[in-house]
Amino acid sequence: AGQNASYVLTQLHHWHDAKRVDASGLMPPMAAILTDQDMQDLATYYAQQTPVGLEADPSYWQAGQKLYNGGDRVRQLPACSACHGPVGRGNPVNGYPALRAQHSVYTAKQLTNYAAGTRYTTDARGKSSGGASYAIMHTIAGRLSAEDIRDLASYIQGLR
């Protein structure tokens, strides 16, 4: 809910074309039967919804807020807000998704997948199906500790 339509559309195409990996196996078969118009309609629908979700975990959100808004120069981690915005609304023009109100379990899983290089498929030459944003996130997530991921996921969950 509340994700920008261009990002939803791109992800639906990635699942449809088997470019995005889904360990649960749920999304690829559902997306495979969608027409281009179906995908456009779904993207528009979800973009118009208001995100609701859980609050941030009080034990972790402050550390997550610091990293989200300020990054970490020593580890060459840019602030998440630089691409995803100060309140997590994303940047549709550049294809960066909204993060606000994402469930922490989902966010942690995706950051872990980026760090492990398993978020998208790669071809025989090692080129990712996720494009340039995958390379950026792969690098950034690879520099995050498990605690960083937990803290960021908690903070993002509470963003509205």
Side-chain angles (χ1 to χ4, degrees):
Q3 186 59 265
N4 68 67
S6 65
Y7 186 78
V8 173
L9 184 60
T10 298
Q11 296 311 305
L12 287 171
H13 277 289
H14 282 219
W15 278 312
H16 180 273
D17 301 338
K19 292 180 177 180
R20 181 167 171 191
V21 179
D22 178 17
S24 72
L26 296 175
M27 286 304 297
M30 287 191 285
I33 62 171
L34 298 175
T35 65
D36 285 342
Q37 186 62 53
D38 292 335
M39 288 186 259
Q40 183 63 54
D41 292 345
L42 284 166
T44 300
Y45 171 79
Y46 282 109
Q48 295 173 356
Q49 304 308 302
T50 301
V52 295
L54 304 171
E55 295 305 315
D57 185 316
S59 302
Y60 308 119
W61 73 265
Q62 289 177 323
Q65 180 184 39
K66 183 177 177 185
L67 196 53
Y68 185 91
N69 289 319
D72 183 331
R73 287 185 189 201
V74 173
R75 293 185 288 159
Q76 298 180 328
L77 289 169
C80 305
S81 62
C83 295
H84 298 284
V87 292
R89 292 185 187 267
N91 184 330
V93 173
N94 291 323
Y96 301 133
L99 299 180
R100 66 188 177 132
Q102 290 283 347
H103 291 268
S104 64
V105 172
Y106 176 80
T107 300
K109 175 75 170 129
Q110 298 315 307
L111 288 171
T112 301
N113 288 348
Y114 273 121
T118 58
R119 170 74 187 248
Y120 291 100
T121 60
T122 54
D123 63 19
R125 296 175 309 226
K127 185 176 179 186
S128 168
S129 61
S133 64
Y134 173 80
I136 292 166
M137 285 305 302
H138 174 75
T139 300
I140 293 168
R143 295 175 182 161
L144 296 171
S145 69
E147 292 78 17
D148 293 333
I149 290 173
R150 175 201 63 206
D151 297 347
L152 282 167
S154 176
Y155 177 68
I156 289 167
Q157 180 171 280
L159 276 175
R160 298 290 186 277

